[in-house]
Amino acid sequence: MRKKYLIILCVFLLTLLLVTVTSANWTYTVKRGDTLYRVARRVGVSLSQLRSWNGLWTDHLRVGQRLTIPSQSTGAAGRGGSRAGVDRYLLARLVHAEAEAEPYSGKVAVAAVILNRVENPKFPNTLAGVVYQPLAFESVANGRIYTNPNSDSIKAAGDAINGWDPTGGALFFWNPSKPVSRWIWSRRIITRIGKHVFGL
């Protein structure tokens, strides 16, 4: 009888562990022009890891195919975790692409918004998950995120990782002088830094 309870307990704990691990993953949808190598590089995992997690035997991808991305491999902090392991370079690339012409505090603010999203349950819980969330950032859609960041963007990413948040907890930013979704104007504006507005 005791052995039966021990087996049931082990099965329960193993199931709980698997549910926890799989719920931390996110999904990437393949777009035209994507290769397995580019996707792996974009999301910060190795090619072999991406193949393994998705049961792929070849590098052939189809547009619309959904790939599972293991969040613990991205080097980003999840909810409740430390920011020490955050991929500073990926964050700096997004900062550079979205806020290159902004003042330094505006660059830090953009980085802080990204990190605030990682820690908010309404968004993916990894840096790569937030950055590559479909339709989230224009610079990802137009490829500008793949440009090398300048030293200010790298420093700004580091300052945000270390806790500086000039926005006071914002989850969104946008440039009101550019065409944006009507929906974004339903967000409560917290502050304005440079040309960007920051809101909840």
Side-chain angles (χ1 to χ4, degrees), residues 14-15 54 60 64 73 76 78 80 124 130 132 141 189-190:
L14 183 59
T15 304
N54 289 281
H60 179 74
S73 302
V130 167
Y132 296 109
I189 295 173
I190 299 174

Side-chain angles (χ1 to χ4, degrees), residues 6 16-17 22 26 33-34 45 49 74 77 96 106-107 109-110 112 121 148-149 151 155 158 163 174 193 198:
L6 187 59
L16 184 62
L17 176 65
T22 55
W26 61 281
D34 278 342
V45 298
Q49 189 175 27
T74 62
H96 184 75
K107 289 175 173 50
V110 166
N148 290 324
S151 59
K155 186 174 183 298
W174 67 97
I193 302 171
F198 296 84

